Amino acid sequence: GSSQLAGRPVSGSGQLDFSGMERLRGEAELRLGDNHLAARGAYGIPGERLELKLAAPALAQFESGLGGSLNAQATQNRISLSS
């Protein structure tokens, strides 16, 4: 059978590797109805990059009282500065 949350299909996949709270590497995807969240990349070592993408065209499917849509993209680069 398929998983559901708030009456909507839920699916996800991915693999994340943690080394304490300082280091993260991998990729993951999560879907709730028509909404999709994806994370990909790495964070923790200078030069690494972590990308997050959210495509939520149907916020009402979360049954949180929200409506409308939300699309967002974020990139985090680890920068090392020294003096």
Side-chain angles (χ1 to χ4, degrees):
S2 62
S3 298
Q4 291 196 345
L5 178 67
R8 304 287 179 191
V10 176
S11 63
S13 64
Q15 180 175 344
L16 298 173
D17 297 315
F18 292 92
S19 179
M21 292 302 293
E22 308 85 37
R23 180 101 163 87
L24 166 68
R25 174 177 212 88
E27 61 183 84
E29 293 191 40
L30 178 63
R31 288 188 178 273
L32 171 58
D34 297 321
N35 304 292
H36 180 248
L37 174 66
R40 181 170 289 112
Y43 179 82
I45 294 176
E48 289 184 326
R49 177 180 170 127
L50 180 63
E51 296 179 348
L52 301 173
K53 293 181 182 179
L54 173 65
L59 290 174
Q61 292 178 349
F62 289 107
E63 292 191 3
S64 61
L66 297 173
S69 64
L70 176 63
N71 291 300
Q73 185 171 341
T75 301
Q76 174 66 49
N77 292 315
R78 175 70 189 233
I79 299 171
S80 179
L81 300 176
S82 62
S83 56

